[in-house]
Amino acid sequence: MASTVKAVTKDSSPLSFMTRLSQHVYLYRPFSTTLSPTGNRPPPKLILLCSWMGARDPHIAKYITPYQALFPSTPILLIKSETQHVFQPQSAWPDMQVAVPVLRDIFGSEMLQPGSDNFGSTTTALSSSPSTSSKEEEEDPTLLIHLFSNGGSAQLLSLHQYLLLSQSTTTIHLRLPPHLTIFDSAPGQLAYSPTYRALSHVLLPPPSRSRFPFWIFSPSTLRRLFVSPLLHMWVSLLWTSNFLSRLFGLRFLESPLERAAREQNDTTPGKGRAEREKGRMYISSEEDELVNHRDVEAHMEEARRQRAGKRGVIRGEKFAGTGHVGHARGEENAGSALRRRM
């Protein structure tokens, strides 16, 4: 299939080894694209990284380097996350518009829904018979997804929703190919203090380094004094709305974090985000101050209950002494752990 991916630019940032396709989407293509097995399982055709909210380029690059060493011939697609992507998912669709052609170039018909036209050609549509479902159950994963925190979880869901949206505008019905997913410090539930800390890291300027009493009048300090109360009010509203949602079962009041956690375990045929997921690993730590490890473990147990009797291994790795989204930099890379355990 001819490539439809359009490069935007390359820059001098820590991600300069990648091609920037949009404001939040980057693509790394290795010099050699011949996929050679490195173990019992063939390497993935693509690694999809969904970074955490407000992640800085130098930090993201540290997680890409181990994957380049582990899978030297595999392309890497990066989708960055900002605050608006978590609370307004449709704001990510312009980025998904450039990410989807990358997936289509690499996976081709593996992304087609049963009953969909073969990319608009005159060939016969894919069968949607029960035998097709049985064959899909035996498919091997060809995509490795590593999402970080609730920001990465939100972006993966936005990609899934964008693919579903395409079904209403074209005869080409797309979905994610068979994949493995690493949930890194995710998904978390809405708790007041962790949510405030997470948002303050992104929305508040760093504290002033000026000496007393000059730091009192610095622009950074004045901005923090103004924005902090507003941020507390916002988190209070989110917490109250989510509490009422749980109390009365009102889905329209649930927080974006709760919605994302619920939808990540959806295996509804033709619509569920996890429909074609062939394995999953959760990595967490008790020292994580932004996402409670108990929330991660509860989500893992819920995923196991929903998938009882189905193909696919769901495992968890708890790291010691690592902070938020810092677990993969512990004793071993998460991708290596995934290959060893699944």
Side-chain angles (χ1 to χ4, degrees), residues 136-166:
E136 288 190 353
E137 189 70 22
E138 300 301 320
E139 289 177 322
D140 288 325
T142 54
L143 168 66
L144 174 59
I145 302 173
H146 190 154
L147 64 86
F148 297 86
S149 192
N150 291 311
S153 177
Q155 288 293 64
L156 179 59
L157 284 174
S158 292
L159 174 60
H160 170 68
Q161 292 295 334
Y162 185 84
L163 292 174
L164 290 181
L165 177 69
S166 67

Side-chain angles (χ1 to χ4, degrees), residues 83 196-207 220-232:
T83 307
Y196 176 81
R197 284 196 294 266
L199 292 174
S200 64
H201 285 321
V202 180
L203 300 178
L204 293 182
S220 175
T221 301
L222 293 175
R223 184 180 172 190
R224 290 178 69 89
L225 288 173
F226 176 75
V227 176
S228 291
L230 298 178
L231 189 55
H232 275 291

Side-chain angles (χ1 to χ4, degrees), residues 200-246:
S200 64
H201 285 321
V202 180
L203 300 178
L204 293 182
S208 173
R209 296 185 178 182
S210 302
R211 294 184 178 181
F212 182 83
F214 302 104
W215 67 268
I216 299 177
F217 305 102
S218 69
S220 175
T221 301
L222 293 175
R223 184 180 172 190
R224 290 178 69 89
L225 288 173
F226 176 75
V227 176
S228 291
L230 298 178
L231 189 55
H232 275 291
M233 290 176 60
W234 185 24
V235 176
S236 297
L237 289 173
L238 288 172
W239 187 93
T240 303
S241 176
N242 195 62
F243 174 78
L244 294 175
S245 171
R246 291 185 175 185

Side-chain angles (χ1 to χ4, degrees), residues 269-289:
K271 294 184 178 180
R273 208 293 299 162
E275 176 194 7
R276 303 186 78 192
E277 196 173 64
K278 303 303 178 182
R280 181 181 289 190
M281 172 175 282
Y282 292 85
I283 55 179
S284 60
S285 170
E286 293 185 12
E287 287 75 22
D288 191 335
E289 295 183 351

Side-chain angles (χ1 to χ4, degrees), residues 61-324:
K62 291 180 180 179
Y63 289 93
I64 295 177
T65 302
Y67 277 119
Q68 290 175 307
L70 188 62
F71 304 110
S73 57
T74 298
I76 299 174
L77 180 65
L78 166 67
I79 303 179
K80 300 168 69 174
S81 173
E82 301 296 343
T83 307
Q84 68 269 21
H85 298 143
V86 177
F87 296 96
Q88 294 179 315
Q90 291 186 2
S91 64
W93 286 358
D95 294 307
M96 302 309 156
Q97 190 174 8
V98 301
V100 168
V102 177
L103 295 168
R104 288 181 55 170
D105 280 352
I106 294 174
F107 295 103
S109 61
E110 291 183 60
M111 295 184 64
L112 292 177
Q113 291 270 21
S116 173
D117 286 348
N118 193 5
F119 290 105
S121 70
T122 57
T123 58
T124 305
L126 296 182
S127 170
S128 57
S129 64
S131 61
T132 302
S133 300
S134 177
K135 290 179 180 179
E136 288 190 353
E137 189 70 22
E138 300 301 320
E139 289 177 322
D140 288 325
T142 54
L143 168 66
L144 174 59
I145 302 173
H146 190 154
L147 64 86
F148 297 86
S149 192
N150 291 311
S153 177
Q155 288 293 64
L156 179 59
L157 284 174
S158 292
L159 174 60
H160 170 68
Q161 292 295 334
Y162 185 84
L163 292 174
L164 290 181
L165 177 69
S166 67
Q167 298 184 14
S168 62
T169 59
T170 177
T171 58
I172 304 174
H173 298 171
L174 302 176
R175 56 184 175 167
L176 290 172
H179 57 276
L180 302 175
T181 309
I182 300 174
F183 283 75
D184 191 330
S185 307
Q189 295 292 342
L190 184 70
Y192 190 94
S193 294
T195 301
Y196 176 81
R197 284 196 294 266
L199 292 174
S200 64
H201 285 321
V202 180
L203 300 178
L204 293 182
S208 173
R209 296 185 178 182
S210 302
R211 294 184 178 181
F212 182 83
F214 302 104
W215 67 268
I216 299 177
F217 305 102
S218 69
S220 175
T221 301
L222 293 175
R223 184 180 172 190
R224 290 178 69 89
L225 288 173
F226 176 75
V227 176
S228 291
L230 298 178
L231 189 55
H232 275 291
M233 290 176 60
W234 185 24
V235 176
S236 297
L237 289 173
L238 288 172
W239 187 93
T240 303
S241 176
N242 195 62
F243 174 78
L244 294 175
S245 171
R246 291 185 175 185
L247 185 63
F248 298 109
L250 303 174
R251 283 275 178 90
F252 70 92
L253 289 177
E254 71 180 347
S255 72
L257 307 188
E258 189 134 330
R259 177 188 62 82
R262 173 172 52 81
E263 293 185 358
Q264 287 289 8
N265 276 340
D266 187 359
T267 57
T268 304
K271 294 184 178 180
R273 208 293 299 162
E275 176 194 7
R276 303 186 78 192
E277 196 173 64
K278 303 303 178 182
R280 181 181 289 190
M281 172 175 282
Y282 292 85
I283 55 179
S284 60
S285 170
E286 293 185 12
E287 287 75 22
D288 191 335
E289 295 183 351
L290 299 184
V291 172
N292 194 312
H293 70 97
R294 294 184 181 87
D295 292 339
V296 178
E297 292 165 356
H299 196 266
M300 176 175 63
E301 293 304 322
E302 176 65 22
R304 286 172 173 168
R305 285 193 295 270
Q306 292 190 10
R307 299 189 186 193
K310 296 183 179 180
R311 184 190 178 198
V313 179
I314 298 177
R315 297 188 182 275
E317 292 255 349
K318 184 183 290 186
F319 289 79
T322 55
H324 189 62

